[in-house]
Structures are given as C-alpha cells and as structure tokens.
Amino acid sequence: MTPHSSHANSPLPSASIIGTGSFVPKKVLTNADLERMVDTSDEWITTRTGIKERRIALPTKATSDMGAEASKRALQDAGLDASRIDLILCATVTPDMPFPSTACFIQKKIGATGAACLDLGAACSGFLYALETARQFVATGTFKTILVVGAEKLSSVVDWTDRNTCVLFGDAAGAAILQHRAKGRGILGTVMGSDGRHADILCLPGGGSKHPITPENVKDKLNTIKMSGKETYKFAITAMQNAALAVLKKTGVSAEQISLVIPHQANLRIVESLADKLGVGLDRCYVNLDKYGNTSAASVAVALDEAAKSGRLKRGDLILFVAFGGGLTWAASVLEW
Ligand code: ACO
C-alpha cells in the first residue's frame, strides 16, 4: 500500500479534475519591446526572473473574456455541457468590475445557466484557494460539478513606467472542472495560509473603498500594482518551501513520489530554490514563465492545462501544486491525476 492510497478509504468523496483549458492573448510583449519602454534590458530581466516575454490582452477584452475562453476549452476537454456546471468559482485580482462578479460574466458567456457564481481573491495563490474551496463543496455534497477559473488582465493594472513591476506581469486565464468521484484520484490534501501583517508589500491600493477612483488617486498611480520586490522575493522563497513540505507531510507523500511540481510562475529563481529544497530536478518542475511572465491567479491553472495537453501527466501521477501571492498568501496541494 502506498502512503497516499489511504485516501481511497477516506469517507469523504473524492474531487477529481475531469477537464482543463487555458487561453493566452495573441499579442506578445518581449523583453526587447520593454527595453524601448523603460530603462531595462533583456539581460537584466532574464537573469533576475527567467521571463523572456508575456502576453497582453486587447484593450477591448476583459478578464471574463479570457476566463470564458479557457472555460469553454475545459468543458470541451471534459466532454461536458455548460448546463452541468453547479458552481463557477473565479480567482482573480483583476475582475471585470467590483461587481457583479467576473464569475457571473463568465457564466453569461459560456451559458452555464444552472450555476451559482462567485469570485475569490487570494492574488497568485487564488487558483489553489479556489480549487480547495471547490473541493470542500464537492466533499460536502453541496455541488457535484464545479468550474474553477483563474483569470487575470494584469496589463490593465500595471504601471508601464515602473521598471520594477512592469517587466514581471502578463495576461492569461486557465480553468479546471472539478467533479465528484466515487473513490480514488483527485485532491489528496491542501495547506493554505495567510499573513495580513505584510499586506502592503504587494498590493493594488486604488479602486476600492480605501482609495476610490478620484483624479488625485489616479494621478498618484494608486490604480497600479505596488510591490517591494526584495521583501516579496524573500517571503516567496520561504512560503513556497514551507507550504510544499507541509502538504507532503499532511498527505504522506514523499517528494520522490511527485511526478510533476506545478509552481506559481513568478520567478525562475524561486522555482529553482523550491526544487532544490525538495530535492527534485528542475526537469520535474513545470516552467512556462519564460513565455507568459507572472499571470497571478491564472498561472498555476495555465501551467496545469499545458502540462496535461503536452502529455506530461499520466493517470495516477502525483502532482504537487505550490503558490504564494499578495496578502500575503500561500497554498499547496497534492493531486492524483
Ligand atoms: N531592469 C533593470 N533594472 C531593474 C529593473 C529592471 N526591470 N527592476 C529593478 N531594477 C534595478 C533596481 O532598481 C535595483 O537597482 P538599485 O540597486 O540601483 O536600486 C537593482 O535592479 C536590483 O534590484 P533588486 O531588487 O536587488 O533585484 P532582485 O534581484 O531582488 O530582483 C525581482 C528583483 C525580480 C523583482 C525579485 O525581487 C522578485 O522576483 N521578487 C518577487 C516578485 C514577485 O514574485 N512578485 C509577484 C508576487 S505575486 C502576486 O500576488 C501578484
């Protein structure tokens, strides 16, 4: 009996991912393009982050447009009609608007008329927070089929004159359909945590009740991402490592048993330090941040879809998801594919 197989005897019903999808805009913004916009270089961006290019959505497109496209692809992958979705859970920090929820707009665009809809905000940890929230609804029998979306249009909240942040982010959406399974497979366990004492080191201060949209606040650029890069980096290294080790311990799975680590795609150096700590080669970590940069809540969802579609996942493989983000927040899950 493998350590994780005890899950099959768990009284809780399993929640399995039965389909995935993703969408990235066509427009590519390369490091060379950024060299013409701010005082930066391809060499600096590549060596400090590993990012080579990112995708930028059309001005006419909103987060829900990307989320809906990723969702349609996930439904197709699962062979499911949108009418079967009971709940749409959208993780995002760049909603179409404060309300209604982006999940409601996705619902309208995919025709999931029978679904309840809500958004969830945990920044870059958002997709994993949403996946675990969905799992709890499935486990209690409240909902049977849940569409979990991570979607961001970060280009709309980036200060394109701030080289400290504008080189890091991109736009994308990913989706996964979680469904009740009688036994076995699915999410084996999750750890999540937050530390609100450090809320100000990575935030988007404007546009909410604290700093509403006023000409003064826009002039002060409060409607764009503010980040203390070094502090965020230090936090990320520790949070990713601790969350990964904690979820392995919780699920009784060893790092050697993990077929693929799917980390939040913020910085290659952060992924490398995670791989180092776990004692797994970088070849067992999925990396696409070179192509897309940091897409916050979309990052893990897009990476999962790409890994699945490119044949890197076989049935029964154990996957370790790990993420950190503004909040500060962190989360990690082990999933049997
Ligand atoms: N091009 C050239 N120089 C730059 C750039 C740039 N794009 N950006 C910053 N610099 C300069 C800085 O001004 C600094 O110059 P100074 O020493 O004269 O002041 C110098 O480069 C070094 O800056 P550091 O902060 O020491 O660089 P570091 O090695 O820490 O890398 C980075 C910076 C890439 C931002 C790193 O700290 C990092 O990845 N942090 C984590 C960021 C992150 O993941 N954020 C997203 C979180 S997810 C979410 O919830 C949205």
Side-chain angles (χ1 to χ4, degrees):
M1 184 162 124
T2 55
H4 71 274
S5 68
S6 60
H7 173 74
N9 304 322
S10 160
L12 288 182
S14 304
S16 287
I17 291 178
I18 60 160
T20 61
S22 62
F23 172 84
V24 294
K26 279 204 176 69
K27 184 180 170 179
V28 175
L29 186 72
T30 65
N31 291 350
D33 296 329
L34 282 163
E35 284 176 354
R36 291 188 284 276
M37 295 162 63
V38 287
D39 181 15
T40 191
S41 65
D42 172 46
E43 197 269 335
W44 192 96
I45 302 170
T46 306
T47 55
R48 301 295 178 113
T49 72
I51 300 166
K52 298 298 283 181
E53 56 188 46
R54 65 288 293 144
R55 300 299 180 98
I56 306 294
L58 290 170
T60 51
K61 295 291 176 188
T63 295
S64 68
D65 291 307
M66 293 186 282
E69 199 49 51
S71 299
K72 284 179 196 165
R73 293 173 189 182
L75 284 165
Q76 193 176 19
D77 190 39
L80 213 64
D81 192 83
S83 61
R84 298 277 305 282
I85 302 294
D86 302 314
L87 175 71
I88 301 175
L89 201 45
C90 179
T92 185
V93 292
T94 48
D96 287 20
M97 50 185 81
F99 76 91
S101 68
T102 300
C104 276
F105 290 116
I106 292 173
Q107 174 187 37
K108 181 177 167 188
K109 285 167 187 166
I110 66 173
T113 45
C117 299
L118 76 141
D119 286 0
L120 182 154
C124 306
S125 310
F127 182 72
L128 294 185
Y129 267 62
L131 207 56
E132 178 59 21
T133 304
R135 177 199 181 212
Q136 297 295 326
F137 277 122
V138 168
T140 56
T142 310
F143 295 115
K144 198 171 170 203
T145 306
I146 302 181
L147 170 62
V148 183
V149 186
E152 303 284 11
K153 188 183 175 187
L154 291 167
S155 63
S156 66
V157 293
V158 160
D159 176 358
W160 289 104
T161 65
D162 175 17
R163 69 175 183 176
N164 291 293
T165 51
C166 77
V167 303
L168 303 175
F169 301 104
D171 302 334
I177 294 167
L178 203 71
Q179 198 175 62
H180 162 78
R181 277 283 176 275
K183 60 176 178 168
R185 295 213 290 151
I187 299 166
L188 306 188
T190 297
V191 297
M192 305 192 299
S194 309
D195 188 346
R197 290 173 302 174
H198 307 293
D200 55 341
I201 73 166
L202 176 56
C203 60
L204 175 54
S209 58
K210 191 173 166 74
H211 303 291
I213 304 166
T214 62
E216 293 74 33
N217 287 340
V218 172
K219 192 166 140 278
D220 292 342
K221 296 188 172 175
L222 296 188
N223 57 324
T224 59
I225 295 175
K226 307 290 174 240
M227 182 185 75
S228 163
K230 253 196 185 6
E231 280 180 76
T232 307
Y233 185 85
K234 274 191 253 162
F235 159 76
I237 297 275
T238 313
M240 295 278 276
Q241 293 178 355
N242 289 349
L245 293 174
V247 81
L248 289 176
K249 190 167 175 213
K250 184 175 179 175
T251 53
V253 171
S254 68
E256 297 84 72
Q257 290 176 288
I258 297 292
S259 303
L260 190 65
V261 180
I262 302 188
H264 170 46
Q265 309 283 316
N267 185 316
L268 187 59
R269 290 186 290 149
I270 295 172
V271 179
E272 282 168 347
S273 89
L274 174 69
D276 225 40
K277 184 77 177 181
L278 295 175
V280 304
L282 199 57
D283 58 324
R284 267 205 278 158
C285 296
Y286 196 84
V287 175
N288 63 8
L289 60 86
D290 51 323
K291 294 187 293 179
Y292 307 134
N294 181 347
T295 60
S296 196
S299 138
V300 169
V302 172
L304 170 64
D305 181 51
E306 284 194 353
K309 300 281 162 61
S310 63
R312 282 196 67 177
L313 301 177
K314 295 188 308 294
R315 188 168 176 160
D317 276 357
L318 292 174
I319 307 169
L320 170 62
F321 297 108
V322 201
F324 74 96
L328 296 165
T329 58
W330 58 90
S333 296
V334 173
L335 178 129
E336 185 180 340
W337 188 244

